[in-house]
Amino acid sequence: MGTGRGRYRADTHGASRCSGDMEAGVRLSAGVSKWDIRKKIWDYMEANNLADFPRPVHHRIPNFKGSHQACHAVRELDVFNRTSEVKVDPDKPLEGVRLVTLQARKTLLVPTPRLRTGLFNKIVPPPGATKEILRICATSQGVKDYSVPIGLDAKVQVDLVVVGSVAVSEKGWRIGKGEGFADMEYAMMVSMGAIREDTPVVTIVHDCQVVDIAEELLDDHDLTVDYILTPTRTIKTGCKRPKPQGIMWHKISYEMLERIPILKNLRYREKQAGKDVILKDEHPDFPNARKPADSDENAKTGNTKLQTESTSAQIGHRHVGNDSLSTKSETHGALTTVYVGNIPPGTRVSELKSALREFHASPLRLSWQGTRGRAFLDYTDKMTAESVVSSLKGLSLRGQTLRVEMAKNQRNKGQVEINGQRNKYE
């Protein structure tokens, strides 16, 4: 079965083994699809009671019995002992490796769930954390209570990547649960320079999840693995298949761009760097393909509800813009305002406006205070403003990351308060 080189460890969790040999467990026929493999794995684990909570395991990375034993085996890997920063997925069966990483006093990075608000959270246990606190830090609750977000400009250098899997082969071919987040996270790390080409990838699974997978099932965006840890085995795959070299924009849809706001930031950066960032929906081979020039207009129906392509600006305390916008703003009464700070000296308002259009986040009105390094963006409702804040996380101008947040103490007719200082700009 496969060509991977591995060694067996003493099995102290009899319940963690498949009944009999692996070949006697999950049987795969020729010509199966990825979904066929997923379903067979999920069905087999449910039928043989090989998983803990949450159940059923279908459409999940299974929290298999014996996961902690498998996770603790990571300490035997030289690639782990040499690391200082480890990225571990938030899946339940990887809880043990997150704990081991914290106990070894290494930097632990965990992707934000479904990449909704960014890419990484850094887990920061409190000073003098007890074993129990470290255990909590390794759980999903710990990610909420003991983490700080890591921006795109952070100097992150991941030494080891640990991912969950539904199925994996001894050759290193991997199948996830079908949503593509592990593949996307890896590609995003490449894009932001957070990993090297030789950064090792480890997956931790139950023995019955190690099966033969035909290489023709793999796409060029699929992540492969270098090490497989199970409750009984450590397998070095020797995989030579290249890993993703960055984000493949021609496979990204507008819908995905809206679901994962950080993708907008990365796309903007790569576009500014002169890279090809044409999306799947814009590609000529895609049915009803959109033209890139039309994308801003078509995206107005997305989550950010782009309100207008015409943005008025206030220079100092002098408001400039067209009369129709001023009239429209009066009819709305109370607006919702977003604060943009940390704007680099010398930045022009046109640079900010261009970035806002790129992210489909043009406001109803923009108040520019460039000499003070800040600006205020007015939107018609709170939902739109919150979506904009999420979309603009990590946005940078002239190499400096901007501070984007909801303005404090929203007031009628453009009066807002930032950090206790009232700013009236009408």
Side-chain angles (χ1 to χ4, degrees), residues 142-250:
V143 175
K144 296 177 183 177
D145 296 344
Y146 297 101
S147 69
V148 294
I150 300 297
L152 292 180
D153 291 324
K155 302 302 181 183
V156 173
Q157 190 60 61
V158 176
D159 303 310
L160 184 68
V161 174
V162 184
V163 298
S165 301
V166 173
V168 64
S169 79
E170 290 188 359
K171 293 181 179 181
W173 314 153
R174 173 190 173 275
I175 295 177
K177 60 185 176 182
E179 297 181 333
F181 284 109
D183 305 319
M184 178 61 69
E185 289 160 7
Y186 185 91
M188 292 165 73
M189 287 191 290
V190 172
S191 180
M192 64 186 287
I195 53 175
R196 303 177 303 274
E197 187 175 349
D198 62 348
T199 301
V201 178
V202 176
T203 194
I204 301 176
V205 296
H206 191 279
D207 288 282
C208 73
Q209 294 173 261
V210 183
V211 297
D212 283 329
I213 298 172
E215 185 173 4
E216 54 263 29
L217 290 180
L218 301 186
D219 292 318
D220 51 3
H221 66 269
D222 284 329
L223 180 63
T224 56
V225 304
D226 303 295
Y227 295 88
I228 303 168
L229 302 181
T230 79
T232 66
R233 304 174 70 196
T234 295
I235 303 169
K236 185 175 181 179
T237 68
C239 183
K240 301 300 182 184
R241 183 184 176 92
K243 294 181 172 62
Q245 298 301 301
I247 299 171
M248 299 176 183
W249 295 107
H250 65 282

Side-chain angles (χ1 to χ4, degrees), residues 23-94:
E23 285 85 349
V26 180
R27 295 182 180 275
L28 301 176
S29 57
V32 295
S33 67
K34 285 183 179 179
W35 272 108
D36 292 332
I37 295 174
R38 291 182 184 107
K39 188 174 187 305
K40 284 182 178 293
I41 294 288
W42 288 328
D43 288 349
Y44 183 85
M45 296 186 78
E46 277 295 322
N48 290 275
N49 194 31
L50 296 175
D52 292 320
F53 175 85
R55 300 277 293 273
V57 298
H58 295 81
H59 305 285
R60 305 180 191 274
I61 299 296
N63 182 28
F64 61 92
K65 293 182 178 180
S67 63
H68 274 268
Q69 180 185 356
C71 286
H72 281 248
V74 76
R75 295 176 297 186
E76 302 172 10
L77 298 179
D78 288 340
V79 292
F80 175 78
N81 293 320
R82 293 196 302 263
T83 63
S84 59
E85 292 193 15
V86 184
K87 174 259 185 185
V88 184
D89 282 355
D91 305 308
K92 178 68 174 176
L94 302 182

